Amino acid sequence: MIRELSIEMLEEVRSTLENCCFEEELLIEEIKKADRIFVAGVGRTGYIMRCFSMRLMHAGFKSFMIGDTETPGAGKGDLLIIGSGSGETESLKSYVRKAKKISMRIVVLTASDKSTLSDAADILCILPAPNKTDIIDKKKSIQPMGALFEQSLLVLLDALVIRIMEECGISGEEMYRNHANLE
């Protein structure tokens, strides 16, 4: 039964990724030209965004997870990348308001094309999956709450890193040199 559920979950992720909508080349260019990249998300989505920030650092980008103690102040020329299933997370809306005031570009990855965060985005990526606030099951999933969004987000962001590696000529060996080595 668990094996069959796993396969059904993978099919849901595949379907979500097939139907996601964003401007891939524009997103890659924004990441490449940013002075620094600030990443944020909350809850399980926050963990996924933390994974993405780490991979950007491995690829040689100056990437910071908002809220970490070593995160510097942001400014013009920096990029904010937000992950939020609902597009209505209060703390993330606050980050976006502040980012707008200092002329940062903003990328939002969300399940909701009609939300405060999606409206504020310079680049919007829609992953059509239920999120934790979808009370009415307009988007069907066997998975609870925002699990399908979170899994699809992880796969999409890992694929984005691969595309950035190709675009910038970064090898896995080069990335490994930036991996933690004091463990």
Side-chain angles (χ1 to χ4, degrees):
M1 182 68 168
I2 292 174
R3 188 175 303 126
E4 290 81 8
L5 284 170
S6 300
I7 291 167
E8 191 171 347
M9 290 166 63
L10 287 172
E11 179 57 31
E12 287 185 348
V13 170
R14 185 197 60 73
S15 178
T16 298
L17 292 172
E18 274 183 349
N19 292 296
C20 77
C21 180
F22 69 104
E23 297 178 55
E24 179 179 322
E25 296 307 319
L26 183 59
L27 175 56
I28 291 169
E29 285 306 311
E30 286 292 335
I31 290 170
K32 285 171 43 180
K33 75 179 184 184
D35 294 333
R36 295 173 299 180
I37 301 164
F38 293 81
V39 177
V42 175
R44 285 172 44 120
T45 300
Y47 291 123
I48 303 300
M49 298 306 291
R50 182 173 296 278
C51 292
F52 178 58
S53 180
M54 181 178 67
R55 283 293 184 243
L56 288 174
M57 179 274 297
H58 288 154
F61 292 90
K62 293 177 183 168
S63 179
F64 305 94
M65 189 72 187
I66 295 176
D68 285 354
T69 56
E70 69 277 0
T71 301
K76 189 174 181 176
D78 293 335
L79 179 66
L80 174 61
I81 303 178
I82 298 278
S84 172
S86 70
E88 296 296 342
T89 307
E90 289 301 324
S91 59
L92 302 179
K93 291 192 302 189
S94 174
Y95 299 158
V96 166
R97 282 191 297 274
K98 291 176 184 177
K100 288 263 186 212
K101 285 182 184 173
I102 55 177
S103 301
M104 290 176 73
R105 297 281 288 166
I106 299 166
V107 175
V108 174
L109 302 115
T110 183
S112 176
D113 61 345
K114 292 173 178 55
S115 67
T116 303
L117 291 176
S118 62
D119 290 345
D122 294 303
I123 299 173
L124 180 61
C125 177
I126 301 295
L127 289 135
N131 65 68
K132 68 179 186 282
T133 63
D134 282 333
I135 297 167
I136 300 169
D137 241 350
K138 57 186 175 219
K139 300 172 196 164
K140 301 285 185 202
S141 174
I142 64 165
Q143 302 175 64
M145 301 173 70
L148 177 55
F149 171 76
E150 296 147 3
Q151 292 160 2
S152 300
L153 181 63
L154 175 65
V155 173
L156 179 79
L157 292 175
D158 277 350
L160 175 58
V161 168
I162 293 168
R163 279 284 292 120
I164 290 168
M165 290 172 66
E166 292 169 352
E167 187 92 11
C168 297
I170 301 166
S171 69
E173 293 79 26
E174 289 175 84
M175 288 181 70
Y176 191 71
R177 282 185 235 136
N178 288 328
H179 193 279
N181 63 359
L182 294 176
E183 303 163 331

